[in-house]
Amino acid sequence: MPRLGPLAVWLDSDHVGVLEQSRRGELQLAYNEVARRRWPLGIPLVSCSMPLSLSPYRKRQAFPFFDGLLPEGEVRRMIAYDLGLDEQDTFGLLHALGRDCAGALVLQPVTEPPPRSPALGDAEPMTAEDVARRLAQLRSAPLGADRRVRVSLPGMQHKLLLTRLMDGSWALPLGAAPSTHILKPPIELLEGSVENEAFCMRLARRVGLEVANVAIECFGERSVLVVERFDRVVLPGHEVRRVHQEDICQAFSVRGTAKYEERGGPSLKMVAGLLRKWDAPADDIVRLLRVVTFTTVIGDADRHSKNITVFHREDGSIRLAPLYDVMCTRLYPSVSTVLGMFVNGKQEVDSVGVDDLVVEGMSWGLSEQTARDAVGGVLEALPEAVEAEAEASPFVPANLVEVLHKRSEARRTSMAKPPLVSLAPGVVTVAPVLPGRVWVKPYRRRDGTPVNGHWHQLPVTSCE
């Protein structure tokens, strides 16, 4: 096979750089003069892991980001097979699928003319029967990709990418028409997965979180979760604006295979630090804690670092993107209970209590009161929200409401505990259980000396 030429990297309508593959197979991103004239050096233009620079970014930064634009697992293997490529051929897959990626990037050969403005007009209308047929063929045609439809989206779950027209009908994303919606069929081994995810996503909105819009629609005899892409905005003139984003793995130059913290992936504290570093809105740290509280309390253990995304803004700052891919995994005994991202060092989703959530937030720089208010606000809103969603949802998986009530009630009662006591930098514990004493968790002194957990006698204050 002849060696593939470089790819032009387009951000919206701007050609900002070139992605190349060396003879040794390593990827390299070089920003061009157009990007350097328009934006100041140091701005996280394509990625937080690759700020605008005079020097090119090589394998360590470039590969995790661009490989992170592609699907994973069986979906990737099937697409690669259909294209006659090796599944490890990241550059070859980007050549084939890079015109419709997550976010605002368009990757295409440098020899091609600039991409046309995204618009619904190029999409090819479909009937409901067409959609049902493509859903049934996802095993052999993942994402709906074929010789005409070239799309890419991270993740391992089978899904179909389509364009929704202004009249609500469906169309194939061809030419300059990007996909606007994700259709997710049931997961075979998780009964009621569509209803579970729809319920939990709408529940998140009821407790005040920003989430992707979802609905359940039927095609033939199959119920499908329809997710509106928040990285696509359809304008009144039928044009589509792509919104640039990246997930946390990409932002830290971490390969998708390490998306779980137990495999060396990013921590929640690192996410909070990223938001601060790139000038996210002040309340984004609190939003993150509210999200972590909600997903932990409802029993979603599978929240890994590719399930958290940030938007890139024109001024070089970032902000936390809406919540997505949420479900109560504790409804399924076969699903691991190990958290994708740990909370206060706790690895099991069932072991995380209110104080763990508060301490986690405090480790990000939040005050104890701010952290408690964020956690408590979600917990207080949950019971009523569960009842309201149960009444509004036409399909609710068996036992889901009961599981959600039990989990939220157990943590609401613990909110009555005394406040936390801070004894030293980084040392936080629950207020006295024994008169005049508090338990100090294990920690390290500033010089690195380890200190074991122990009871600490509080000073006695005389009232005389």
Side-chain angles (χ1 to χ4, degrees), residues 17 49 91 109 116 146 152 167 198 232 279 328 369-370 393 396 416 429 433 436 438 454:
S49 60
F91 196 63
R116 300 201 310 273
D146 58 25
S152 182
D167 62 1
R232 305 285 188 261
D279 299 322
C328 175
Q369 190 59 55
T370 299
S393 296
V396 182
T429 185
V433 177
V438 293
H454 61 278

Side-chain angles (χ1 to χ4, degrees), residues 60-78:
R60 189 174 67 82
Q61 295 93 0
F63 180 84
F65 176 84
F66 287 102
D67 191 68
L69 296 173
L70 297 169
E72 306 163 59
E74 182 187 8
V75 175
R76 179 166 173 152
R77 283 192 293 274
M78 290 298 299

Side-chain angles (χ1 to χ4, degrees), residues 49 64 247-274 288 303-308 339-343 360 364:
S49 60
D247 63 49
I248 294 303
C249 274
Q250 292 174 302
F252 282 107
S253 292
V254 172
R255 296 190 180 193
T257 51
K259 60 189 176 184
Y260 292 100
E261 188 170 353
E262 67 173 335
R263 299 177 188 170
S267 66
L268 290 167
K269 187 174 182 179
M270 290 171 65
V271 178
L274 184 83
L288 179 63
R303 302 298 300 166
H304 50 70
S305 49
K306 287 192 77 68
N307 278 340
I308 302 178
L339 286 162
M341 302 177 82
F342 307 151
V343 178
E360 179 66 42
W364 307 344

